[in-house]
Amino acid sequence: MSTDELEEMGPIDYLLIEWRSPHPTGEIASIVVDLVDRGIIRVLDLAFMRREEDGAVTALAISDIGEEVQELKVFEGASSGLVSDEDINEAGSALDPGASGALLVFENSWAAPFAIAVRRSGGQLVANGRIPVQGVLAALDALEEAYTSDAER
């Protein structure tokens, strides 16, 4: 990618997804394809792997995953060069033994106009993060419990 192309991109994220059963369902494939078709994300890299019971990590082709995700074949060979064999091994080592996984690197295309405006104004991203849904639910439960305790007093 050229510098000009990078200047026009939105933020880039990655996800590592683990399946303890042998294969994922096909539900994820249609959702990823839909997100790409609607211009919400752009898949930069998609890599599948399996962590063997002995801890060894094996890279997998989409065809090794199962018929359920064959819709993802449209991304076969998607490689921006951001993900190396070392990255796949590192990602695979985060999986439980016997599990398979997918490493998805994607551009948040929806955020590109905002990111471009920030860069053009001289701004830069200095931090970002995610709040897992479980964290939000726990915080809401704690608030509700505190509210209930206060109301009972």
Side-chain angles (χ1 to χ4, degrees):
M1 279 184 215
S2 72
T3 304
D4 289 340
E5 287 175 307
L6 289 173
E7 286 292 323
E8 299 297 314
M9 289 183 72
I12 297 173
D13 284 332
Y14 74 90
L15 299 171
L16 177 61
I17 304 162
E18 175 183 78
W19 291 277
R20 294 192 179 147
S21 60
H23 303 294
T25 66
E27 183 178 5
I28 190 172
S30 61
I31 291 172
V32 171
V33 170
D34 180 59
L35 291 170
V36 170
D37 287 347
R38 292 190 296 145
I40 295 171
I41 68 168
R42 177 171 60 140
V43 173
L44 300 175
D45 291 281
L46 178 60
F48 292 95
M49 75 279 311
R50 177 169 176 74
R51 184 169 182 199
E52 305 300 336
E53 293 294 338
D54 67 2
V57 175
T58 305
L60 301 173
I62 290 175
S63 59
D64 296 331
I65 302 299
E67 291 299 315
E68 298 85 357
V69 295
Q70 292 308 301
E71 193 172 352
L72 291 175
K73 276 193 169 270
V74 298
F75 303 116
E76 196 162 34
S79 177
S80 66
L82 293 174
V83 175
S84 67
D85 291 341
E86 184 179 315
D87 294 325
I88 293 170
N89 282 326
E90 186 176 336
S93 69
L95 303 174
D96 285 338
S100 59
L103 178 60
L104 176 64
V105 179
F106 60 96
E107 174 193 4
N108 290 285
S109 305
W110 63 269
F114 174 73
I116 292 165
V118 167
R119 287 190 291 269
R120 287 184 181 157
S121 73
Q124 66 179 358
L125 179 65
V126 294
N128 73 339
R130 293 269 157 82
I131 302 172
V133 171
Q134 296 86 346
V136 173
L137 293 173
L140 291 175
D141 287 346
L143 280 173
E144 183 178 335
E145 188 175 310
Y147 178 76
T148 303
S149 296
D150 287 345
E152 291 174 353
R153 290 185 207 180

